[in-house]
Each structure stands twice: as structure tokens, then as C-alpha cells.
Amino acid sequence: MVKLVNFKWQQLILSLSCLLLIIACQSLYPATNPDAKPLKVATDPTFVPFEFQTADGKLKGFDIDLMNALASPAASIAKVAGFAVQFESLPFDGMISTLQAKRVDAAISGITITAERLKTIAFSRPYFKAGLAIAVREDNQNIKDFNSLKGKKIAVQIGSTGADFAKTIPNAKISTFNSGPEFFQDLLNGNVDAVISDAFATLYAIKNGKFKGIRVVADLLTEEYYGIATPKDSPHLDAINKGIAALLSNGTYKQIYQKWFDAEPPQLPDS
Ligand code: GLN
């Protein structure tokens, strides 16, 4: 009888310890919870250095690092965000409608937060300070600012803020392209006079020697902020925002920024 009681106590303690261990593991690594569905995140990997593919097909870039950090238990964000990320490559032009149709949970692709886009989708808090720049051939001295773009041949990416901006230039002849590398080639070939696109991506492409012969006009045309986009009323937006706040305050954001841009990150607004 006594033996039996002892045995039950041992069993109870053992079961309780197991239970505690399981709870502890799950709160540390909720992403490994088999019930937690991975977050489907769209990206267009043609936007160096934010998202691009290496020769062996691996996704890399500032946005990819940021998204992975949001989901990483090592950054202790998982407790807040608690999701595993599954990237899906999509053309930039179709991203907003894909989010609207809720075919993905989120998108990270250097997407500028605009009033127009906010009518149909939602955005996280800003995670990157950006802006549009004019790129010209090195020998071009006449294009210096907005006014000198009037009546010129201009290349832009379909569906981008650069394309929207180009529409405001009087008498400009606009050609549209699916992705960045194509329009820079067109500029080099002399088919267009200027490209209007995101300054950081343009400067990075030039600095890394891929587009020798192109320079960026000094003054930026706009100030923009990138956000992680989600469908409206997304159940994940709050966790994403908390995750970004945590990465900003624990130094991870700064580390990722320095890795890709070799500079101190600027101050970001909360919303
Ligand atoms: N930031 C620009 C936009 O949102 C372009 C982004 C991109 O080409 N990936 O329209």
C-alpha cells in the first residue's frame, strides 16, 4: 500500500516536470509549435540590396534579414511575433492585389507606404527611410532636378512610386519596365534620358559596379518610408509592429542596416 502511494507521487512529479518543460519550450520557441502556420510573405527578389536571389536560388537582402529577425527566437522576438516565415516570390506589380485578395499574409519588398495604397491594404510602422532619385548617364549635364525632366524620355518600374511620380512631369515620354535592372540597361543604351527609382537601390547598383556609367542626381525627389504590407485588418499586424519596435530597441535593426548600407540608420517615425 505504502509502496503504491510512493509510486504515484513519483509519477505525478515526473508528469508535472514534463508539462513544465513543454510549456517552457513552447514559450521560447513558439515557431516550432506544429499548430502555428508559417506566415506567407511575398517578395519580388529583383530589388537589390533589399531582396535578391543568389546564383543558387537563395533569397538575400535587407528585407529578408529583417523579416527573418522578426521570426527568430534568437532575437527573442518570437515571443512577441511568434511566427515562422515562408517567402513567396511575386512580381512587384501584382503585390498589392495579391494582398487585397489575401493570397499571402504579408509582403516585404521595399514597398513605400502611400495614401493611395492605404485605401486597399494595411502597412506596419515604417521600417526604412527611402526616397526617389533621378539616375542619368554620367555624361549628362542637363538633367539636374524636377524642372529639367520636362519633355524627357524617362524609364520607370511598373506599379512603383517612381512610375506615379513620372506621371506628374509635363510632357515626359514614359517607358515602363518590370524590374530595376532592365531600365538601367535602357538608360545605358541611350534609349531613355533618365530613370526615376528608389535612391538606395540605385546607389547600391552603381556602387557595386553593375551599372558603370550611371550617376544619381544629388537631390532626392521625395521622402518615402517602406512598410511591411498586409491585408486590411490582418491579425498579424500588431505582432509585426511589436517585433519591429523590439528590433529597433535591441540593436538588431542597426546591425542589419550596417551590414547592408555600411552606415548609421536614420531615426524612423513611429507611424
Ligand atoms: N519603393 C517603390 C514602391 O513602393 C519601389 C519598390 C520596388 O521596386 N520593390 O513603389
Side-chain angles (χ1 to χ4, degrees):
M1 185 67 185
V2 174
K3 257 193 181 162
L4 194 64
V5 169
N6 272 348
F7 176 72
K8 276 193 172 163
W9 268 111
Q10 278 175 350
Q11 210 177 32
L12 190 68
I13 289 168
L14 196 69
S15 322
L16 275 177
S17 316
C18 282
L19 196 67
L20 277 176
L21 196 69
I22 289 168
I23 292 171
C25 281
Q26 283 197 339
S27 67
L28 269 177
Y29 299 103
T32 58
N33 177 350
D35 296 336
K37 268 201 278 159
L39 198 77
K40 251 202 253 172
V41 181
T43 192
D44 179 349
T46 61
F47 195 57
V48 189
F50 294 91
E51 38 272 323
F52 57 96
Q53 251 169 331
T54 56
D56 57 352
K58 272 212 187 91
L59 276 177
K60 283 210 160 163
F62 178 92
D63 287 351
I64 307 300
D65 282 354
L66 189 83
M67 204 66 222
N68 281 331
L70 280 175
S72 143
S76 56
I77 303 308
K79 267 182 255 166
V80 183
F83 45 68
V85 172
Q86 185 192 319
F87 286 106
E88 206 167 289
S89 292
L90 271 185
F92 186 79
D93 189 35
M95 222 157 268
I96 310 282
S97 55
T98 305
L99 283 162
Q100 240 181 307
K102 300 195 170 143
R103 282 199 293 272
V104 291
D105 299 308
I108 190 161
S109 212
I111 309 173
T112 304
I113 305 169
T114 69
E116 191 56 34
R117 290 172 180 167
L118 279 167
K119 287 182 192 162
T120 54
I121 56 165
F123 278 99
S124 70
R125 56 181 287 163
Y127 74 84
F128 195 88
K129 188 175 180 187
L132 292 175
I134 308 170
V136 292
R137 279 182 303 280
E138 242 159 24
D139 57 359
N140 183 326
Q141 300 304 326
N142 345 320
I143 297 177
K144 301 179 209 70
D145 50 19
F146 178 80
N147 284 327
S148 50
L149 287 169
K150 284 179 193 157
K152 294 282 187 303
K153 284 189 247 163
I154 296 165
V156 293
Q157 181 182 342
I158 302 171
S160 69
T161 47
D164 291 338
F165 187 90
K167 287 181 197 147
T168 67
I169 303 165
N171 303 321
K173 292 166 209 68
I174 301 167
S175 22
T176 52
F177 291 85
N178 274 320
S179 69
E182 294 172 48
F183 54 50
F184 290 132
Q185 200 49 56
D186 221 45
L187 177 63
L188 278 175
N189 294 349
N191 296 335
V192 292
D193 304 306
V195 163
I196 296 181
S197 63
D198 292 51
F200 277 82
T202 307
L203 287 167
Y204 196 91
I206 295 171
K207 198 178 102 194
N208 286 281
K210 272 192 92 184
F211 294 103
K212 273 215 164 68
I214 293 177
R215 72 181 171 85
V216 166
V217 174
D219 292 329
L220 294 191
L221 294 168
T222 57
E223 182 179 284
E224 302 186 352
Y225 289 93
Y226 297 160
I228 297 175
T230 66
K232 265 191 190 284
D233 310 314
S234 159
H236 307 292
L237 201 53
D238 186 49
I240 292 173
N241 279 331
K242 285 190 177 130
I244 296 174
L247 293 182
L248 282 167
S249 62
N250 74 7
T252 308
Y253 179 86
K254 186 173 162 171
Q255 232 177 322
I256 300 174
Y257 197 98
Q258 285 174 334
K259 170 179 167 190
W260 291 101
F261 299 105
D262 206 11
E264 284 293 301
Q267 204 58 34
L268 290 171
D270 295 347
S271 60

